[in-house]
Amino acid sequence: MHEWSLAEAVIEALTQVMEQEGARRASEVEIIYGEMMELELDILKFALEELSKGTPLEGSKFTFNEERASFRCNSCGHRWDFRQVHELLPEDLWVSEPDGGRESPIHFIPDLAQALMVCPNCGSRDFEVESGKGLRINKVILEV
Amino acid sequence: MSDPILGKARSKLRKMGRITLVASGKGGVGKSLVASSLALTSASRGYRTGLLDLDVHGPSVPRIFGFNGELLAGKGGLIPPVINGLKLMSAGFMVGRNPLLIRGESKFSLLSFLLAITDWGDLDHLVIDMPPGTGDETIFSLRVLRGVREAGAVIVTTPSSLSQSVVMRLISLLRGEGMRIYGLVENMAYINCCGELLRPFGSIDDDFLRDCGLRILASLPIEPSIEERIREGRFLELPEEFRSRMDELLDGIMGVR
Ligand SMILES: [Zn+2]
């Protein structure tokens, strides 16, 4: 549901780059986002299109790539992925959305995984998030 | 390519009327209490005010305000709970009692997200409860706030623990990162004993103030009843004298050009 605020963030960042580079338009934009953000791509895409209307970004082609999340325990060396622990996230701390849905806080702030997960093998909280969080603009093709 | 989340965090901060960072050289001087009281006073004076808890390892805002309800989210992101007209946000609302083991760039990313996806609406005043000291969190917070002209800091200290070198280190860190400092808040400064002011821990000395080029914006009384009020869920009723000093502090901050 916060796809709209993320779309705003992307548009603001792109607008800034285009101004810096003196670009007329951006023909192609590639966005990489972490699996832990559990984004609804349809909404993100729609929001990007809506927010680009009437700006130099109108008509840009947006492509998306999801980066799978992976974790490694510093205590026992075990590795795991997001799906294996998704069911174990503490439900009492979920965030409610207007459509009646509920999301883990990790969906809004992926780095909170560090507080809401433990190693499924040994229970340690001392683990590394190797990949799968955040959102970045990986590539943009500008037309000057 | 610039980080869109950090960019969004900064553009939100630039829209705030005024931003007050409440910082301290070390823990235990009542920084969170000062930040919370200041924010509450600001809201009660009619400023549209938010309180952001950036102390991710020891968030105090949930406990001080006794909020343990469920967070809501809307189209614009996380909706800050409102108490007495004051909007609150803290990572503590989302992690409960779980410890947050987080390091390095992850911490920076968390702070950027927290700022970027909170839907504050229009605010006249954002009060930020900073992490204590001059560690990673403080440096990361300052990185997010770099170049935000509306921001300034107040430094909370006590006369007893004015280990001056600790405060001086914080002052040089803030100034080095381009953060302006509104002044000092002297917490636990005195007891009002039937109109007579007793200063059991002494006073901040003038030489120190001259050396750091700062003034004291407010001296706060020792008020043991505040801890009691927090435990009983009555923090919102600030003791009268404490409240008047908070008014002075707010005036001091809002008067800065
Ligand atoms: Zn393990």
Side-chain angles (χ1 to χ4, degrees), chain B residues 183-186 199 204 209 214-219:
Chain B
L184 300 174
V185 175
E186 186 189 25
R199 288 185 154 264
I204 294 179
L209 293 174
L214 292 173
R215 62 194 177 105
I216 298 175
L217 294 170
S219 291

Side-chain angles (χ1 to χ4, degrees), chain B residues 89-106:
Chain B
M89 188 49 73
S90 167
F93 294 152
M94 290 171 273
V95 302
R97 289 174 191 278
N98 296 297
L100 181 56
L101 271 70
I102 194 165
R103 294 171 284 261
E105 289 300 315
S106 265

Side-chain angles (χ1 to χ4, degrees), chain A residues 20 51 53 69 71 81 91 109 118 137 143:
Chain A
Q20 274 164 9
L51 293 171
K53 280 187 182 157
F71 310 87
D81 63 37
E91 279 214 28
I109 306 181
V118 295
I137 300 166
E143 290 176 17

Side-chain angles (χ1 to χ4, degrees), chain B residues 86-252:
Chain B
L86 171 63
K87 294 181 174 178
L88 306 171
M89 188 49 73
S90 167
F93 294 152
M94 290 171 273
V95 302
R97 289 174 191 278
N98 296 297
L100 181 56
L101 271 70
I102 194 165
R103 294 171 284 261
E105 289 300 315
S106 265
K107 204 174 289 177
F108 183 48
S109 162
L110 187 152
L111 296 175
S112 297
F113 264 106
L114 191 61
L115 282 159
I117 62 144
T118 300
D119 188 4
W120 294 105
D122 293 326
L123 290 186
D124 301 314
H125 190 192
L126 178 68
V127 178
I128 302 182
D129 185 4
M130 294 283 285
T134 49
D136 266 9
E137 304 96 297
T138 306
I139 292 161
F140 287 133
S141 313
L142 291 173
R143 203 195 290 173
V144 179
L145 287 155
R146 189 190 295 267
V148 178
R149 243 166 304 155
E150 297 73 13
V154 297
I155 297 172
V156 182
T157 184
T158 60
S160 59
S161 70
L162 185 72
S163 41
Q164 305 188 342
S165 61
V166 173
V167 173
M168 272 316 241
R169 247 201 310 276
L170 178 62
I171 292 171
S172 15
L173 173 68
L174 293 170
R175 286 188 173 147
E177 296 306 302
M179 180 60 61
R180 77 170 143 173
I181 305 174
Y182 299 140
L184 300 174
V185 175
E186 186 189 25
N187 195 19
M188 304 178 215
Y190 66 91
I191 302 169
N192 187 339
C193 220
C194 314
E196 195 191 343
L197 300 191
L198 305 177
R199 288 185 154 264
F201 303 124
S203 299
I204 294 179
D205 67 72
D206 291 338
D207 289 347
F208 175 74
L209 293 174
R210 221 178 3 257
D211 285 349
C212 62
L214 292 173
R215 62 194 177 105
I216 298 175
L217 294 170
S219 291
L220 306 176
I222 298 169
E223 276 287 359
S225 77
I226 293 189
E227 259 310 311
E228 196 179 304
R229 285 168 199 243
I230 292 171
R231 273 198 304 277
E232 293 167 358
R234 295 187 295 118
F235 170 69
L236 303 178
E237 317 150 26
L238 294 178
E240 202 184 312
E241 181 155 352
F242 195 82
R243 164 70 207 241
S244 326
R245 300 286 89 77
M246 279 297 151
D247 276 324
E248 291 167 11
L249 175 59
L250 182 67
D251 291 338

Side-chain angles (χ1 to χ4, degrees), chain A residues 81-122:
Chain A
D81 63 37
F82 193 46
R83 274 153 224 223
Q84 286 170 282
V85 293
H86 195 268
E87 301 297 304
L88 305 172
L89 295 174
E91 279 214 28
D92 55 326
L93 293 167
W94 285 31
V95 178
S96 292
E97 305 204 289
D99 58 3
R102 295 176 83 235
E103 300 266 13
S104 165
I106 294 174
H107 165 69
F108 298 93
I109 306 181
D111 302 278
L112 291 175
Q114 216 77 58
L116 299 172
M117 265 182 208
V118 295
C119 167
N121 185 50
C122 74

